[in-house]
Structures are given as structure tokens and as C-alpha cells.
Amino acid sequence: MFFWKRKKKEPDFESKMGELNTTVLSKKDYKNTGKIEQYVVERLEQMIELTKELDDEKEEYRIVTSYLNDIETLEKIPKEERDKISEIAVNVVQLNKARTEFLNSSKKLSDAQFAQLEQQERELPEAIKRFKTNELHRDTLQRDMKYLEREKSEWNLRKEYLDHQQKKLKNVLYIIVGLAVTLAVVFGILQIILEKDFYYAWMGLIFATAVVVCGIYMKIQNDLSEIQVAERSQNRAIVLLNKVKLKYINVANAVDYACEKYHVKSAGELENQWQYYLEAVKERQKYQRTNEDLEYFNGRLVRMLSNYQLYDAHVWVTQAVALVDPKEMVEIKHGLIGRRQKLRARIENNLSQVNEQKEEAEQLLDKVGSMRPQMEKILNAVDKINEGD
């Protein structure tokens, strides 16, 4: 809470040990003026320190008491006026809560990302559309390239298959021609030896040879045509593939440039960042309006409370919830009462120590010689301080 100063630190170990090591007078020391003077000086130093603490504690006690008096004043305000104060305090509490939620909300964009998007705010909507279009175009071209690569490979395999079949058919043709010639020789020899007519054998050989040779020849010619078709199709696929590759390179470069420019990996990521940016802009505008509203209601609350001559009307800006929730006000009041009781105990304890030190120093004044005037002056100052409170 903000109703009092920070609590003073407790004396540390070294200071406590220092207190134990202060001068202690023995019977012999009472005859030694130097020892007595040193002892009295130490008592006076302790008195000065204690007096400073007393002064701070009394000031804090007065402040705590003033805040308690303010609470009593607030509790005595008529209900109608207190309801008006509560109404304003509710606005302060809600606006503070909204501001705290904004400050504690996790950021989806870093400050650097927000600044960059802010600079490119005008161009981004169109840039995102272009970015997404280029990505789609790139992916389409990539699929087309794969298709054309596959088509080129298929036509190349078809051509290799037909070339291999051509060689086989030519070999078969040579073999058949060889067999036909061999059979013709055999028929000629048999016809001479046997002196018989081999007319039908010759007709059969000629017919069979002609049919087979014509069939193989037609197949070779057909394969040649198919080879030419495969070559043309393969060349067409290669030409199209080169054109698609060139387009793909241009589109891919545009996509890579956009990724590098906007520090993203895809158009989807940039679009998400853009949505986060728009949300952040709305939140910041809302936060700014909240601050303006909060400043307005804080001012109204302070002005209204100032009418009741409070010690500190501004402190209730940070404790507005207590003006709305009676339990919170009771808790604050109990805290202040407890704090004041502890302060009173410390004041009484320090005052007792000051008096003890003062009495002891006064008893030795007759033995300090030339230092007596200065010491009396210090003792009188301490008395005035204590009497003033």
C-alpha cells in the first residue's frame, strides 16, 4: 500500500556488534578525563542517531494517523455523496484493470516487427495479395514442370523402345530373307536331282516370303512414324518445360524477394503478422483511450475527494477499489492501525533509550572539562527536538 513510508531497515550485524564494542567505563576510568570524554561523546552520538530515527518515526506516525483520519472522514460521508464517489471509483477500477490486462498481455509481434509493419502499412494489403498469387503461381508451375518432366521421360522411353524394336525387326528380316534364299537353293537342287516339278513349293515359298517381308516392312515403317511422333512430342515437352522453368524462376525470385523484404517464410506468415498488427493497433488505440478516460476519472475522483479536506486525496487513485469494496477499506484501515501501533512502540523504545543516554551523559558532564559547553549545547538541542514533538 501507499499509505506510509517504507519501513526502515533493521540494524545490520556490524552495527549491532559496534554497539557491543562501545566504551565501558571502569572505576579507574572515572579518574581519566580522556576516557570519560570519549564515553560521553559516544553516548551523544548514539543520542543523535536515535533522535534522527525518532524524528522519522514521528513523521511517519503523523502520516499514518492522517490517513486513518481520512478514512474516518470518508466513512462519515452521507450515503448519497458516497454513492457518487463509488460510481467514479468503479470507473477508475475498471479502467485500471483494462490497462493492466493490456500491459500483461503477451505480445504476438515484437517491437521491431510492429515498427516495420507500421512503415509498410499502406502497401501491405496489396503486397499480401501479390505475394499469395505468386506463391500459387509458383506451386502451379512447379506441378507443370513435374508433369512435363514426366512426359519428356515417357516419350524418351517410347523412342528408345521403338529404336530397339526396329533393330530386332531388321535382324528378323535378314534372317527370313536368308532362309528364303536357302530354301530356294534347296528347291532348285531337289528339282534337278529328282527331275520333278516344284511349282507349288516355289509359289508357297515366294508367297510366304512376300507376306512376312511385307509385314515386317510395314511394321518398320509404322515404328518409324511412331519414332518421329515421339521425337516431336519429346521436343515439344522440352520446349514447354524450358518456358515453364523460365516463368518459375521469375516467380520464385519474386517470392524469395518478398520473404526477404518482410522477414517471413511464406505469404501465410505475413498475412498472420498483418492480422496481429491490426489487432495490436486496435489494442493500442484502446489503451490510449483507456489512459485518457482513466486520467479524466482520476481527476474527477481527486477533485471530489478534495472537497472533504482530506490529508491526501491523490492516494485514493491507486486505492480506488477500497472506495467500492468496504472489505478492502476495512483491510486498509486495519493495516494502518497495526502499522501505527508498531510505530508507537518503536517511538517509545527509542525515546526511552534517548532518555537513558541523556541521563548518563548528564551525570558525567562535570568531568568532561573543556568539552562541557559543546556537550550541553547538544543535550539542549536533543531536549528541544523531543519537546517539540
Side-chain angles (χ1 to χ4, degrees), residues 92-109:
V92 172
V93 171
Q94 291 176 345
L95 291 169
N96 271 320
K97 183 180 179 182
R99 186 173 68 169
T100 302
E101 288 176 355
F102 173 81
L103 293 174
N104 293 335
S105 62
S106 57
K107 290 184 178 180
K108 296 179 180 179
L109 290 174

Side-chain angles (χ1 to χ4, degrees), residues 130-262:
R130 187 167 58 252
F131 196 173
K132 292 174 71 175
T133 300
N134 286 337
E135 276 191 338
L136 290 173
H137 195 192
R138 179 198 62 184
D139 294 341
T140 301
L141 291 172
Q142 198 169 23
R143 287 194 296 271
D144 291 345
M145 283 194 301
K146 289 180 179 179
Y147 173 78
L148 290 171
E149 284 282 2
R150 186 168 60 252
E151 185 178 359
K152 183 187 76 171
S153 299
E154 288 174 355
W155 284 117
N156 186 55
L157 289 173
R158 178 67 176 166
K159 179 174 173 295
E160 289 179 355
Y161 168 75
L162 292 171
D163 284 338
H164 180 68
Q165 189 167 292
Q166 283 265 302
K167 292 178 182 178
K168 288 174 65 176
L169 288 172
K170 287 178 181 179
N171 290 333
V172 171
L173 182 62
Y174 294 148
I175 292 170
I176 289 173
V177 171
L179 287 173
V181 171
T182 302
L183 287 173
V185 172
V186 171
F187 287 164
I189 292 172
L190 290 174
Q191 188 173 348
I192 294 172
I193 294 174
L194 297 176
E195 295 180 353
K196 289 185 177 182
D197 187 7
F198 280 80
Y199 174 78
Y200 291 106
W202 283 107
M203 290 297 104
L205 176 62
I206 292 170
F207 179 76
T209 302
V211 170
V212 173
V213 170
C214 286
I216 293 174
Y217 178 78
M218 290 177 65
K219 178 63 176 172
I220 289 173
Q221 291 301 315
N222 184 61
D223 287 350
L224 284 173
S225 298
E226 288 193 22
I227 288 172
Q228 291 175 353
V229 171
E231 287 178 343
R232 288 196 298 271
S233 298
Q234 184 183 18
N235 291 334
R236 182 178 64 84
I238 292 172
V239 171
L240 288 175
L241 181 61
N242 290 334
K243 289 181 178 179
V244 172
K245 277 185 177 179
L246 184 60
K247 290 182 180 179
Y248 174 81
I249 291 172
N250 292 332
V251 174
N253 287 338
V255 171
D256 291 341
Y257 174 76
C259 290
E260 184 177 356
K261 179 179 180 180
Y262 299 110

Side-chain angles (χ1 to χ4, degrees), residues 273-290:
Q273 287 190 3
W274 174 243
Q275 293 302 321
Y276 295 152
Y277 170 77
L278 294 178
E279 291 174 8
V281 169
K282 289 181 181 178
E283 288 297 321
R284 292 193 178 196
Q285 291 173 349
K286 182 180 177 182
Y287 177 71
Q288 185 176 0
R289 288 195 300 271
T290 298

Side-chain angles (χ1 to χ4, degrees), residues 112-125:
Q113 288 174 322
F114 184 90
Q116 181 186 5
L117 293 171
E118 189 175 27
Q119 290 176 353
Q120 300 162 339
E121 184 175 0
R122 292 184 179 179
E123 67 179 70
L124 272 173

Side-chain angles (χ1 to χ4, degrees), residues 3 67 69-78 81-90 92 297-324 329:
F3 288 99
Y67 283 126
N69 292 336
D70 284 355
I71 292 175
E72 291 180 4
T73 300
L74 292 172
E75 290 174 342
K76 294 176 182 178
I77 294 175
E81 297 179 22
R82 195 161 62 244
D83 289 342
K84 292 180 181 179
I85 294 173
S86 296
E87 184 179 349
I88 298 174
V90 166
V92 172
F297 282 106
N298 283 344
R300 283 191 61 186
L301 183 62
V302 171
R303 287 193 298 273
M304 184 171 286
L305 293 176
S306 297
N307 294 330
Y308 301 99
Q309 306 300 318
L310 299 180
Y311 167 74
D312 184 3
H314 289 85
V315 75
W316 296 103
V317 167
T318 57
Q319 299 292 327
V321 66
L323 300 173
V324 179
M329 182 66 82

